[in-house]
Amino acid sequence: MSNYHIKSFDEYYHVYRKSVREPENFWEEVAEEHFLWRKKWDKVLSWDFNKPEIKWFENAKLNITENCIDRHLHIRGDKTAILWEPNDPREAAQHITYKQLHQRVSKFANVLKEQGIEKGDRVCIYLPMIPELAVAVLACARIGAIHSVVFAGFSSTALATRINDSTCKMVITSDGSYRGSKTIDLKGIVDAALEECPSIETVLVAKRINSDIEMKEGRDQWLQPLLDAASDDCPSEIMDAEDPLFILYTSGSTGRPKGMMHTTGGYMVYTAYTFKNVFQYREDDVYWCTADIGWITGHSYIIYGPLANGATTVMFEGVPSYPDSGRFWEIVQKHKVNQFYTAPTAIRALAKEDQELVEKYDLSSLKVLGSVGEPINEEAWHWYDNHVGKKKCPIVDTWWQTETGGIMISPIPYVTPTKPTYATLPLPGIQPALMDENGEEVKGNQVDGRLCIKFPWPGMARSVWGDHQRFKDTYFSAFENKYFTGDGALRDEVGYYRITGRVDDVIIVSGHNLGTAPIEDAINEHPAVAESAIVGFPHDVKGNALYGYVMLKDVGESRDRDNLRKEINQQISDKIGPIAKLDKIQFVTGLPKTRSGKIMRRILRKIASKDTANLGDTSTLLNPDVVESIMEEAIVS
Ligand code: WTA
């Protein structure tokens, strides 16, 4: 029986049990058999959630790029490692083989060294989804520099905050980027950010859109001539398993972004292990995750997890709606994609479009569909199942976080029976617990609570960069000796988990705990509804009441609004109970979203509570103008 690749439910059950009874042995076997170490560990795990301090594979030595690239060279050197699909379908796709990737990463790594970057230095990467982004990430890892990728949709202020927080020495960017029919002046954004970033010594600029940009003398350099001149031989830096690999910023519920710090050995083992199992990747498969590498999903499941398994990983520069909303499906057909991993927000958007745009493509290569980033509502789940998977592809609803490094709770396709909106069961090594308000663990099934994890796993973040106290306060202080996720979850009668949403979004109405996600699910099942968001607002009698922002599929929908409100409430009543009915329903033309596609409930909550004097920072929203129109039409009575 293999611990590494689970192929049956029986096997899952046994492996899971072993992983809980003997976690050290379990992870030691996985690490030993499937990775390349320069020196073995002295100890598999030492941990103390009170400090908190977590160390996996102590004193082991390795380089993650040797695991992601070098060790594949003699067996799959000519296999495509990265399959890059450009924004414009008329431009040719690039098939970068493992051999070519090795060359490109080595050259880039030598450029970094020539520019004075050393082990432990922080390098900020602010690039669009072009091959240079993946190459830059791996080049940092090759020489032991700590990469801090900032999503290239963030503003100059957001970029500057992140650069300064981790005192980066270098920024790697491009002259600009393509996004659908638009071009974006990335270098201009970097220039503006750098006015406030004294730690930056060098800016490397990749050419993408051939725009006429300003190069600052003594600071900015074109990347390509440096790469052309660099040697393609770059021995890898030998890293300790607990040396930092990267920093990735995630927004907290309050305050400035947290630089989650991930280390090398455990992260590698965990992302590789979860990739193999959750996507059931086989040697000749083509795997595609639509996330941006600026988010954790891209780090773990476009770059590290797939490459550590010698996979072919698709990297897409564009957007799902360009040149039209059939683009995802066109790419699936073109590259015969076998595993497709995307976010519910994309699924909902595409489900709204003309069905012909999905039906006309041959999607028969697909074997596994994935979902990540937010709870997937039933309607979206079924649309994905029917129209994309043609009812033949298991949907893996993968729950995890920037902090967890890799997928934590998810079905294993063809192994775990799926259930719409359920992330189902913990992966091996993951010990979830549901906690009540008094800090007690809620045992048994058909219960709910705050989702915690009781035991360390190799992929977990080790700290918040520069602020270990905040790491402790945010994740290890709410419940004793447990990692607190900030999410609520329920466990059904067979032990399946359903993530109900951030605990900060739980609304207590007349003493009843109501998660926003299930109510939104119920609303979204109404045939006229595209998307919705629920928030609480103060109510004299109930404590809190519910305010719903509802976006219709057809914004010009002519039906009587009051009737629609009644129907929506009836739907909620039917699905959840009268207690979950909404007091107010506002029809909106859009919902404020972060650039990663999450609904900004904080803003909606303030509008619902008539507390609009200080809406906080809306500049990082994808669609700041929508806030204005929602405010104008808010129900104030
Ligand atoms: C939410 C993304 C329900 C959750 C990998 C979590 C989910 C937060 C799911 C982390 C899912 C992620 N079902 N909710 N399958 N996946 N979430 O850090 O609230 O961007 O805490 O990591 O997204 O978001 P992050």
Side-chain angles (χ1 to χ4, degrees), residues 413-427:
Y414 302 99
V415 170
T416 318
T418 59
K419 177 174 175 182
T421 77
Y422 280 75
T424 73
L425 297 169
L427 293 178

Side-chain angles (χ1 to χ4, degrees), residues 263-323:
T263 59
T264 309
Y267 175 82
M268 169 183 78
V269 170
Y270 195 70
T271 52
Y273 181 78
T274 50
F275 173 77
K276 178 75 184 170
N277 286 293
V278 171
F279 298 103
Q280 290 287 312
Y281 184 83
R282 309 253 170 182
E283 184 62 36
D284 294 320
D285 288 346
V286 175
Y287 159 88
W288 179 22
C289 166
T290 70
D292 193 288
I293 290 172
W295 311 116
I296 191 69
T297 307
H299 281 58
S300 301
Y301 298 109
I302 294 178
I303 300 184
Y304 289 115
L307 296 180
N309 282 282
T312 296
T313 175
V314 176
M315 185 175 168
F316 174 44
E317 182 187 30
V319 294
S321 56
Y322 178 81

Side-chain angles (χ1 to χ4, degrees), residues 297 372-375 397-402 487 499 502 598:
T297 307
V372 60
E374 55 179 320
D397 178 359
T398 64
W399 173 82
W400 59 296
Q401 311 176 293
T402 303
D487 282 326
I499 312 304
R502 298 294 304 183
K598 288 206 178 80

